[in-house]
């Protein structure tokens, strides 16, 4: 089965696209001219929203790329998507092919919003992950926000397995040929691998800066202004986003300029390395087995320095790729390999450990619980001129969620509502402004913690296999979660 879109019911929120693990359902903005040239059944409706007045709107499914997980159907607040047998939807492939030819529209819609982000081409698509996987959506949105200037250092694990099912690679490029540069290292040194990339990028960009400063004194007019604007933008707040347009102008002016003598030599040297003019964003990506356990030494080492690197840590609470072994992120009471009678120890609180340094941006997020908080955290982490880590809750097929992985996004919400997973941001910049750096984004838990546990086989199974231990461990788990929330509340109230 694949989703069928009901144009009448759709409210154009783009949540379906946000949660799709495989980028097989996407929103499109269509001009009148594009509509006129479209296949006959390429139905559209008037786009809603400020700045979208000139466009029609359409949700397009790729029936042959969909994995049938139903995550989009479950995320839709308007029941505008229904799963239908593939045979009834095959014709949509023609529309999908046409949608792929439509250029991305530049609107005034905020890129850092649920709706706005989804009009940007995902530069991660049709990966080899399980149907309903939640790891993929976190990386997908990063590629929508920063993809063309993004470098990814991927630790070993599921993220690397579905991210490089050789010879096919799900990371892709936009129409200008730019996309994430991706590479994979081993568990043990992924953080150092990313640090090396960061140092290299900085050196190469600095070399451009030195040459640009010399060229500035040898030029006038539009080129002079472009060089000056670029030099002045180095080190400003939110540099990556700010310098994108400035860098493009600099490259354009430099390419068009007719220079002689020393200026011409500098022009040639700078243009030979023009890919370093735009500021890159470096992201480590990996699971809890990497970050909490095997790669923790390196992670801690790199975070303790002041490099401008970012981490997207997808916490599945087990070593997913090798079949679900327990890690230090596995919570007390959960059944995993090497913990057949339930894990006996509390989960490591990685975020709070790292807070002791004071200079690291840290966020805990869960897409299905609060996508706006996730996007806010991503924006702040990338803009922060220092190390940042986002710890993202990523329910996994190993958890045995009731109703399957199509419910994984709801499961994240349930986890937050019952106090199993907490949302927060720790931003050292707030401290500089004299404010509390810790913001608790989770509300007081309202739902039943025990009911949440019983909705997942990794917990529920223990009541059958080890009923005596189960009761004791679940009580401890609940107590631990409560204490954790109280601690976070204290931090937030300081
Ligand atoms: C040093 C080392 N030990 C074990 C392995 C085998 N291995 C490959 S992937 C993996 C699981 C990764 O788990 P995690 O980091 O949590 O990522 P996930 O698969 O959950 O995304 C393991 C144990 C390895 N590659 N290197």
């Amino acid at each position: 089965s694949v989703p069928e879109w009901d144009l009448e019911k759709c409210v154009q929120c783009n949540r379906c696209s946000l949660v799709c693990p495989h980028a097989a359902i996407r929103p499109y903005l269509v001009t009148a001219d594009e509509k006129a040239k479209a296949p006959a059944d390429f139905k559209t409706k008037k786009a809603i929203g400020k700045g979208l007045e000139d466009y029609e709107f359409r949700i397009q499914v790729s029936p042959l790329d969909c994995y049938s997980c139903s995550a989009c159907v479950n995320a839709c607040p308007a029941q505008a998507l229904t799963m239908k047998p593939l045979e009834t939807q095959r014709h949509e492939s023609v529309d999908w092919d046409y949608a792929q030819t439509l250029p991305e529209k530049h609107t005034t819609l905020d890129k850092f919003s649920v709706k706005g982000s989804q009009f940007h081409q995902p530069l991660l698509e049709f990966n080899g992950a399980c149907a309903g996987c939640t790891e993929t959506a976190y990386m997908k949105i990063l590629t929508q926000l920063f993809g063309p200037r993004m470098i990814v250092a991927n630790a070993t694990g599921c993220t690397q397995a579905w991210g490089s099912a050789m010879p096919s690679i799900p990371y892709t490029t936009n129409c200008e040929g730019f996309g994430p540069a991706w590479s994979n290292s081993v568990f043990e040194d992924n953080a150092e691998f990313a640090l090396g990339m960061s140092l290299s990028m900085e050196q190469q960009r600095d070399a451009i800066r030195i040459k640009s400063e010399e060229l500035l004194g040898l030029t006038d007019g539009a080129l002079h202004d472009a060089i000056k604007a670029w030099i002045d933008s180095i080190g400003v707040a939110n540099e990556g986003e700010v310098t994108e347009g400035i860098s493009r102008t600099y490259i354009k002016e430099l390419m068009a300029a007719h220079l002689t003598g020393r200026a011409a030599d500098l022009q040639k040297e700078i243009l030979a390395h023009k890919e370093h003019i735009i500021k890159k964003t470096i992201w480590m990506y990996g699971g809890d087995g990497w970050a909490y356990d095997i790669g923790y030494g390196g992670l801690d080492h790199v975070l303790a320095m002041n490099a401008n690197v970012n981490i997207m840590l997808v916490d599945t609470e087990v070593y997913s790729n090798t079949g679900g072994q327990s890690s230090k992120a596995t919570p007390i009471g959960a059944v995993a390999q090497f913990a057949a009678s339930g894990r006996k120890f509390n989960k490591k609180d990685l975020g709070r450990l790292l807070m002791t340094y004071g200079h690291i941006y840290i966020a805990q997020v869960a897409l299905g619980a609060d996508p706006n908080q996730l996007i806010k955290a991503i924006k702040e982490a990338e803009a922060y001129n220092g190390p940042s880590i986002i710890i993202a809750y990523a329910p996994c097929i190993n958890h045995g969620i009731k109703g399957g992985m199509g419910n994984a996004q709801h499961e994240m919400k349930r986890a937050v509502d019952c106090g199993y997973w907490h949302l927060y941001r720790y931003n050292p910049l707030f401290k500089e402004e004299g404010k509390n750096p810790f913001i608790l984004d989770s509300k007081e838990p309202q739902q039943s913690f025990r009911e949440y546990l019983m909705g997942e086989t990794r917990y529920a199974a223990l009541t059958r296999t080890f009923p005596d231990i189960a009761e004791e461990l679940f009580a401890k788990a609940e107590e631990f979660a409560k204490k954790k929330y109280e601690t976070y509340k204290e931090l937030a109230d300081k």
Side-chain angles (χ1 to χ4, degrees), residues 135 155-162 186-188 286-292 294 313-325 327 396 398:
E135 288 184 342
T156 304
C158 273
T159 50
Q160 158 261 335
W162 60 249
V186 292
F187 263 144
E188 301 88 310
D288 47 283
W290 160 61
Y292 283 70
I294 301 176
L313 158 54
V314 278
D315 190 348
T316 60
E317 304 196 317
V318 277
Y319 286 71
S320 299
N321 194 230
T322 33
Q325 292 78 20
S327 75
C396 170
N398 282 296

Side-chain angles (χ1 to χ4, degrees), residues 42-340:
F42 195 83
K43 300 266 180 330
T44 58
K45 68 193 289 186
K46 191 100 206 87
I48 314 171
K50 204 159 170 272
L52 305 184
E53 293 80 4
D54 296 340
Y55 298 109
E56 291 280 304
F57 175 92
R58 175 174 172 85
I59 289 286
Q60 182 62 56
V61 175
S62 174
L64 300 182
D65 292 303
C66 170
Y67 271 51
S68 309
C69 71
S70 312
C72 57
V73 174
N74 294 331
C76 178
Q79 288 83 47
L81 294 166
T82 320
M83 294 307 274
K84 289 283 169 69
L86 174 62
E87 287 315 313
T88 66
Q89 303 300 310
R90 275 186 186 272
H91 62 276
E92 288 282 321
S93 289
V94 177
D95 296 329
W96 171 265
D97 288 345
Y98 180 69
Q100 299 318 294
T101 67
L102 302 177
E104 207 169 288
K105 308 299 183 303
H106 300 285
T107 70
T108 51
L109 217 58
D110 183 10
K111 176 169 92 163
F112 293 98
S113 65
V114 170
K115 182 162 174 163
S117 62
Q118 295 313 300
F119 288 121
H120 292 263
Q121 183 189 351
L123 298 175
L124 169 68
E125 57 183 11
F126 324 138
N127 57 72
C130 304
C133 174
T134 58
E135 288 184 342
T136 55
Y138 288 114
M139 180 46 82
K140 192 183 68 175
I141 191 165
L142 286 182
T143 71
Q144 289 171 299
L145 298 175
F146 315 116
R149 59 181 186 88
M150 185 174 184
I151 293 176
V152 183
N154 207 144
T156 304
C158 273
T159 50
Q160 158 261 335
W162 60 249
S164 63
M166 303 294 185
S168 139
I169 280 278
Y171 289 91
T172 187
T173 52
N174 63 16
C175 61
E176 294 178 301
F178 293 108
W182 180 96
S183 193
N184 161 231
S185 185
V186 292
F187 263 144
E188 301 88 310
D189 73 354
N190 192 56
E192 294 91 327
F193 186 53
L195 176 66
M197 290 178 177
S198 166
L199 294 176
S200 162
M201 287 295 137
E202 255 174 49
Q203 290 278 336
Q204 296 185 71
R205 202 155 181 263
D206 211 39
I208 299 259
R209 179 190 56 78
I210 291 165
K211 289 189 175 108
S212 299
E213 279 172 357
E214 191 185 344
L215 187 59
L216 186 70
L218 304 172
T219 51
D220 52 21
L223 176 58
H224 181 92
D225 294 347
I227 301 172
K228 183 155 186 340
W230 183 76
I231 293 172
D232 288 349
S233 71
I234 293 174
V236 299
N238 202 10
E239 186 182 348
E241 291 294 298
V242 172
T243 59
E244 223 173 336
I246 293 173
S247 300
R248 278 172 183 266
T249 310
Y250 180 18
I251 294 169
K252 199 178 96 210
E253 292 296 339
L254 197 58
M255 286 175 83
H258 297 287
L259 303 173
T260 53
R262 177 69 185 146
D265 291 344
L266 288 166
Q267 176 189 32
K268 208 168 145 200
E269 287 168 25
I270 296 169
L271 284 177
H273 301 282
K274 67 177 187 304
E275 70 272 24
H276 296 295
I277 292 178
I278 289 182
K279 185 165 173 67
K280 303 293 181 294
T281 181
I282 296 179
W283 287 83
M284 299 176 214
Y285 186 41
D288 47 283
W290 160 61
Y292 283 70
D293 288 2
I294 301 176
Y296 176 66
L299 190 95
D300 174 63
H301 182 71
V302 172
L303 288 177
M305 300 164 77
N306 209 18
N308 190 359
V309 289
N310 308 286
I311 301 174
M312 177 58 82
L313 158 54
V314 278
D315 190 348
T316 60
E317 304 196 317
V318 277
Y319 286 71
S320 299
N321 194 230
T322 33
Q325 292 78 20
S326 78
S327 75
K328 282 184 221 81
T330 307
I332 190 164
V335 174
Q337 286 190 32
F338 304 140

